Amino acid sequence: MIRLAVFDCDGTLSDGQAGVVNAMNAAFAEIGAPAPHHSQVRRIVGLSLPQAIAHLAPDLPEDRQLDVVEAYKASFRRAREDGSLREPLFEGMAEMLRRLHGEGWTLAVATGKSDRGLASTLAVHGLADLFATTHTADRHPSKPNPAMLQAAMAAVLAEPQATCMIGDTVFDIEMAVAANVRAIGVSWGYHEPEELLAAGAVAVADTIPELEKLVNE
């Protein structure tokens, strides 16, 4: 039976908080609207961008929300191209992924990032060859809709009972629950451990070794 471990990206594999907050500030500034507080921005990481903006600025007309979406994409792209974007992996993550891969786990990503953004992150850290399939907000409904997780399983012929989803937000956990997949939370991301457990996580890891043990249970 294929064992599939599906990872969220931002807040789980890598720490992209500064890049997200900076791009969001620039996007709201471009349309002349006040930027949301960084604590609010943290709460929406993991959602697809249109849904995230709708949560952050529900009073903006829809066309202005779309302007923010496009401005955010442009700001993020500029930061990536000029080398100012920093999305470091959490310490020990790369080594754990390589161990899991070497032990026969099939690895996948399900993220609210764009195809381009995910490809760049994986390439920068030399991880692209570890993942059998990747699924992003460009091709699927926003989390917590289970579509991208179901697509990951279908792509490698994995069954829900042999699949786990690893993420740092309630959106990841709710997606896993909706897909009947074991949900594992991590405490180093954007939502609190208590929230992840309440949403249906079987456990929340505080360290990479803890996470590796939970995946292998």
Side-chain angles (χ1 to χ4, degrees):
M1 183 177 289
I2 292 168
R3 297 182 299 164
L4 175 64
V6 185
F7 290 83
D8 169 56
C9 187
D10 288 333
T12 301
L13 296 178
S14 64
D15 185 1
Q17 180 178 175
V20 170
V21 171
N22 290 341
M24 199 66 75
N25 289 342
F28 275 87
E30 187 163 321
I31 72 157
H37 192 268
H38 66 82
S39 61
Q40 293 175 280
V41 175
R42 282 175 54 90
R43 299 292 304 170
I44 55 80
V45 172
L47 291 175
S48 298
L49 194 50
Q51 284 75 15
I53 301 303
H55 275 268
L56 290 172
D59 295 332
L60 275 182
E62 188 174 347
D63 61 332
R64 298 293 278 161
Q65 290 182 8
L66 293 176
D67 289 341
V68 178
V69 168
E70 293 308 314
Y72 178 96
K73 290 179 179 177
S75 177
F76 218 91
R77 186 165 54 249
R78 285 193 299 271
R80 185 177 294 115
E81 291 171 351
D82 67 20
S84 63
L85 181 64
R86 296 287 181 270
E87 296 179 295
L89 293 181
F90 290 104
E91 187 174 355
M93 182 60 70
E95 293 79 5
M96 185 202 70
L97 291 171
R98 292 191 179 99
R99 283 193 298 272
L100 291 174
H101 186 266
E103 292 163 3
W105 279 91
T106 298
L107 305 182
V109 177
T111 176
K113 292 175 83 70
S114 66
D115 282 331
R116 179 184 295 182
L118 177 61
S120 175
T121 299
L122 297 182
V124 163
H125 296 296
L127 300 178
D129 62 328
L130 296 181
F131 293 97
T133 186
T134 60
H135 299 270
T136 76
D138 283 349
R139 291 172 281 124
H140 299 285
S142 178
K143 299 174 184 178
N145 187 298
M148 68 172 75
L149 183 49
Q150 291 167 336
M153 289 189 284
V156 299
L157 304 179
E159 297 294 333
Q161 64 268 28
T163 299
C164 60
M165 174 72 208
I166 301 98
D168 66 296
T169 70
V170 167
F171 314 126
D172 299 310
I173 305 305
E174 290 177 345
M175 177 175 68
V177 170
N180 295 312
V181 163
R182 186 165 60 109
I184 301 171
V186 299
S187 66
W188 50 80
Y190 299 118
H191 289 180
E192 297 300 320
E194 313 84 71
E195 296 177 278
L196 305 182
L197 291 168
V202 296
V204 177
D206 290 321
T207 65
I208 298 291
E210 233 181 281
L211 174 58
E212 188 170 358
K213 182 178 179 181
L214 286 169
V215 170
N216 279 309
E217 283 183 353

